Amino acid sequence: MSWAIENLNAVPFAGLMLVVALGYLLGKPSWRGLTLTPGGATLVVGLVLGHLGLSFAALYGAAPGSPPKMTVGAFGFALFIYAVGFEAGPRFFSTLRGSGFKFVGVAVTLNCLAVGLTVLFARLFSMGDASAAGALAGALTSTPALVSASQVTSNVGLLTISYALTYPVGQVGLLALIAILPKLLRDPLDDESGADEPHEEGEAGSEVELKRAYRVREELAGKTLRGLQIRQRTGCVITRIHRAGQIFLPDADTELAAGDHVYAAGHLDELGRFSDLVGPEVYDKQVREALPSPRRITVLSPKVVGRRLSELQLIGRHGCLVLRVQRLGQWLEPTGSLELERDDVLEVVGRQKSVTTVAEEVGALDLALHETNIAIYALGILAGVLLGSLEVRVLGVDVSLGAAGGLLLAGILLGHFRRIGRFSAQIPRAARQLVRDLGLVLFIGEAGVRGGPHLAAGLTGPVWKTLATGSLVLALSFVATLLVARKVFKLSPLDAWGSLCGAMTSSTALEAVNRAAGHSKATVGYAASYAAATLLVTIGGQVVVMLTR
């Protein structure tokens, strides 16, 4: 092993890539909802290899223990924090509209309680700032809190060890709370009226819209859909036709043929009228399951943001069907009552010309991956670094945003406006995710290796204080915020739980809630509180360091 470590130290960039690769591979598998995540696994691998002697000193030409400020990890830090802000930008200001303040209130409540409790227990247990900040980040399973705290603490090694110790506590404890609290409070997640049977976008958002196949009568052969006025006479819409082994999307001028199997969408009474007009219902598995490749449309138009999906009447006006809606990487069922938010992605099927029309009305077709604009990241990070370096004198004290604050603010602003003059800042989601993940594993990998030499000392110290702090912070802040969400803000059970997951920026918790509920309705509350929570958890790590020094 020592021979391998010596060779890696001679080619330190290879060592960094080994840490990143092993961490990412170990972080992907999950067991019953538990996962290390790529970030957590990369940290563990870095700590272990750093403890065994791996060092990146040769990469920077610096003495061991004193790496320069400009490192690969520092570059990863800038990429990650900026990407976090950019991702939250589209919803950061819109969450204050209407009842959105309730979801923001949940995010503020949880994060303020978590920070306050961490400071309280840190002083009670005589913990240092690095251990306290690591316990907070681990309890909330928040990588942004860890990354930002690393910029202001003097002991990054102890910070990462504390985080590594409490992260499993946060993961297991969070899943346990999701399993136990709904039963304990007699507030079951799967008892949400109207959520158990999703419906597609239609004009009557409170009723379930069904889809059925029908065989066309001989007397309708040669007649066009426009001439039959099916929408006006029945209220239904034909979404596709199965003819002679081929399935295609019709338009108003499509002529029906005897024996065609048409697939119609409508409410139960409307489908009854449709059957009387067109023909008897049949079972056609092929037409039910076969769909053309959907096109992805990003919601950008202010005229559409905040409107219900049913109000757009995409089936009736354009013959386009919304298959599903993506929000912050989570999938939502396309119910008629779903309110669209900026940066939502609609998966739409329809004729090419119709889909293009819908895209012009709603926002824009999702860009291809090759259209990513690297300048958006370079200039955004430049702006963030400059903002973070500015100092303003307030009451005789020099105040600055710092690197984390400046990068986060630049990301939020550019992510919200998505345009600088005639230059678009729209970047495909896959590209944004790649930059965020790359920045995270580069920073975490280097931080883990730097913390490796301190691993033995960190594990032989008062570990129980760190574990107790993480456990108490998670349990007390989570339960108290849940009660505030239900009793003060009067949120429904799923909105309350979704907003709690968003307040912790935990997609793992959201997936557990959605599994328990049997649908994805909690995602709406998650997305509403996520944007504000992104800023709060990032600042929280630095606040704990400053208050526990």
Side-chain angles (χ1 to χ4, degrees):
M1 178 62 72
S2 59
W3 174 85
I5 294 295
E6 288 176 6
N7 280 273
L8 288 173
N9 285 340
V11 190
F13 191 72
L16 177 60
M17 291 301 101
L18 177 64
V19 171
V20 169
L22 289 177
Y24 196 85
L25 291 174
L26 292 174
K28 296 301 287 184
S30 64
W31 179 76
R32 296 188 178 183
L34 292 173
T35 175
L36 281 173
T37 72
T42 301
L43 178 61
V44 172
V45 172
L47 283 170
V48 172
L49 292 181
H51 175 67
L52 294 175
L54 183 66
S55 170
F56 301 146
L59 183 63
Y60 310 116
S66 59
K69 290 185 178 180
M70 187 58 238
T71 66
V72 172
F75 177 63
F77 162 82
L79 286 179
F80 177 72
I81 294 295
Y82 176 75
V84 166
F86 194 89
E87 194 75 16
R91 293 173 182 82
F92 187 79
F93 300 104
S94 62
T95 50
L96 297 175
R97 186 182 62 243
S99 60
F101 77 91
K102 295 181 179 180
F103 298 106
V104 175
V106 171
V108 172
T109 300
L110 186 139
N111 283 278
C112 287
L113 281 174
V115 169
L117 288 169
T118 302
V119 173
L120 173 65
F121 291 123
R123 292 180 175 174
L124 182 64
F125 296 145
S126 301
M127 296 170 60
D129 59 278
S131 296
L136 171 71
L140 298 183
T141 64
S142 171
T143 310
L146 169 71
V147 175
S148 66
S150 70
Q151 298 301 295
V152 292
T153 184
S154 58
N155 195 336
V156 176
L158 191 55
L159 171 72
T160 55
I161 293 170
S162 178
Y163 174 77
L165 286 171
T166 51
Y167 183 84
V169 172
Q171 280 264 13
V172 176
L174 193 54
L175 295 179
L177 290 171
I178 292 171
I180 296 171
L181 281 181
K183 298 176 182 177
L184 189 64
L185 300 176
R186 297 181 180 179
D187 217 4
L189 290 172
D190 58 356
D191 184 24
E192 188 82 1
S193 60
D196 55 339
E197 191 169 3
H199 56 280
E200 294 181 24
E201 52 98 3
E203 295 178 15
S206 62
E207 301 178 44
V208 176
E209 190 167 71
L210 307 172
K211 294 165 287 184
R212 298 287 188 269
Y214 299 85
R215 185 175 64 248
V216 176
R217 294 191 177 94
E218 290 186 8
E219 55 265 32
L220 297 184
K223 295 186 177 181
T224 65
L225 299 184
R226 188 194 307 276
L228 290 172
Q229 296 184 321
I230 288 177
R231 180 72 175 180
Q232 293 83 348
R233 295 168 67 180
T234 68
C236 294
V237 174
I238 296 177
T239 61
R240 48 197 182 273
I241 296 177
H242 188 187
R243 177 184 299 168
Q246 300 294 320
I247 295 175
F248 61 93
L249 298 168
D251 60 18
D253 296 319
T254 298
E255 294 184 357
L256 295 178
D260 280 352
H261 287 182
V262 295
Y263 201 55
H267 301 120
L268 189 59
D269 57 333
E270 295 170 341
L271 290 173
R273 294 194 294 270
F274 184 88
S275 179
D276 293 338
L277 173 64
V278 175
E281 182 178 351
V282 295
Y283 179 75
D284 188 329
K285 182 179 180 180
Q286 190 174 353
V287 77
R288 288 173 62 90
E289 297 180 353
L291 274 175
S293 299
R295 301 292 300 277
R296 292 167 58 88
I297 298 175
T298 303
V299 176
L300 298 173
S301 173
K303 297 180 180 178
V304 173
V305 174
R307 294 179 64 186
R308 294 187 175 189
L309 194 55
S310 61
E311 296 176 29
L312 303 184
Q313 300 180 26
L314 298 184
I315 290 181
R317 295 192 300 115
H318 303 294
C320 291
L321 182 69
V322 178
L323 299 180
R324 53 183 184 171
V325 179
Q326 188 180 40
R327 181 176 296 170
L328 285 177
Q330 305 294 325
W331 292 109
L332 294 168
E333 295 149 354
T335 59
S337 59
L338 177 65
E339 291 187 2
L340 296 178
E341 294 186 5
R342 196 168 183 272
D343 213 38
D344 281 353
V345 177
L346 311 182
E347 284 201 348
V348 178
V349 293
R351 298 178 72 88
Q352 184 174 352
K353 184 177 180 181
S354 299
V355 172
T356 301
T357 302
V358 171
E360 293 172 351
E361 178 182 310
V362 171
L365 287 170
D366 237 17
L367 298 175
L369 291 181
H370 67 269
E371 295 183 40
T372 297
N373 190 343
I374 297 297
I376 295 302
Y377 277 92
L379 293 176
I381 291 174
L382 171 62
V385 171
L386 294 177
L387 280 173
S389 65
L390 293 177
E391 291 188 351
V392 179
R393 198 163 188 80
V394 179
L395 300 177
V397 179
D398 290 331
V399 178
S400 70
L401 291 173
L407 289 164
L408 192 65
L409 179 59
I412 288 174
L413 292 176
L414 196 55
H416 175 74
F417 294 106
R418 294 289 172 96
R419 183 167 291 278
I420 303 175
R422 61 188 182 88
F423 297 101
S424 172
Q426 192 67 21
I427 296 175
R429 177 173 179 80
R432 301 200 306 264
Q433 189 65 43
L434 174 63
V435 171
R436 174 175 171 149
D437 288 350
L438 177 63
L440 174 61
V441 294
L442 287 177
F443 170 81
I444 288 290
E446 185 180 83
V449 170
R450 289 173 61 187
H454 308 282
L455 182 60
L459 293 179
T460 56
V463 174
W464 70 268
K465 295 182 179 181
T466 302
L467 295 176
T469 298
S471 302
L472 291 170
V473 167
L474 172 64
L476 295 177
S477 61
F478 197 92
V479 173
T481 305
L482 178 61
L483 294 176
V484 169
R486 295 288 284 125
K487 304 302 182 182
V488 178
F489 294 124
K490 307 295 183 183
L491 293 176
S492 68
L494 282 175
D495 280 344
W497 280 92
S499 60
L500 274 166
C501 296
M504 297 180 65
T505 65
S506 175
S507 59
T508 302
L510 176 64
E511 291 171 4
V513 170
N514 284 339
R515 281 197 303 270
H519 50 79
S520 60
K521 189 177 178 182
T523 303
V524 176
Y526 171 86
S529 65
Y530 176 89
T534 297
L535 175 64
L536 294 170
V537 297
T538 304
I539 294 174
Q542 295 191 340
V543 171
V544 167
V545 171
M546 290 186 288
L547 294 180
T548 54
R549 278 174 174 167

